[in-house]
Amino acid sequence: MEKQFEFPLTAIGEPAWEMKLRQYLEGYDIASTSVAQQQLAACEANLGAELPSSMRAYYLAFGGSQSADFMYGLSPVAALAPLASAGFELVSLYFTPAEVANMVWFAESPGNDPLCFDQTTGELYLFSHDPVQKAKVFTDFNQYLLFEIMQLEALLGDGIEEAHAHQLATQYLRGKGIDYALRTQKL
């Protein structure tokens, strides 16, 4: 019987999470590079608030990593910006100032739509151009990381059987108010 995929970690901050993720990524020849505390502090000063704790920890440990296969759309820490000033035309055309308030752009979807976190809740939202929609897609950055690990496994690993992928998503990627259909379509 073939061994089913298991996450190398389930939560940023769990014991040895950095080592587990680093070893997992090395298995796919993905180098991991940290970001200096000073760079993170400059980003947070620019935003006027700290990053959510799981995102902050990820950037400190892996935020300098670059890969076409893993966390491809993740922006460098110096590029993070309030969504209203991040330069996405669709934001000014289709979304009200109230809809983008407290949103910080940190990544892009494969379709180049902005993925943001809410500075108040830490929840992750996608601002889609087609369909035009703001939707919650993850409860926090940790879920985003687990989702990206599943995508990497499907792309470069042995794959994940559909039933097992559904089981993992149900266990680790669920949350109140998440738009699962849009997440599946756009991410």
Side-chain angles (χ1 to χ4, degrees), residues 5 40 42 53-54 56 62 64 67 69 87 89 124-125 127-128 136 151 170 172 177 184:
F5 168 76
L40 195 59
S53 61
S54 60
R56 187 173 210 287
F62 297 94
S67 170
D69 300 316
E89 185 179 23
L124 277 51
Y125 288 84
F127 286 77
S128 171
K136 179 177 164 182
Q151 297 291 24
T170 299
Y172 295 104
T184 300

Side-chain angles (χ1 to χ4, degrees), residues 103-168:
M103 292 290 159
V104 174
W105 167 70
F106 74 92
E108 290 182 21
S109 73
N112 298 319
D113 291 327
L115 188 59
C116 305
F117 70 87
D118 183 316
Q119 284 183 299
T120 306
T121 65
E123 297 169 329
L124 277 51
Y125 288 84
L126 180 69
F127 286 77
S128 171
H129 73 279
D130 183 23
V132 173
Q133 181 178 350
K134 171 188 175 182
K136 179 177 164 182
V137 289
F138 298 104
T139 60
D140 59 19
F141 187 81
N142 192 76
Q143 279 191 342
Y144 176 65
L145 173 63
L146 295 178
F147 178 84
E148 286 288 326
I149 290 171
M150 287 179 68
Q151 297 291 24
L152 179 64
E153 190 64 26
L155 180 67
L156 298 180
D158 294 330
I160 305 173
E161 292 180 19
E162 187 175 338
H164 186 56
H166 179 73
Q167 177 188 13
L168 290 171

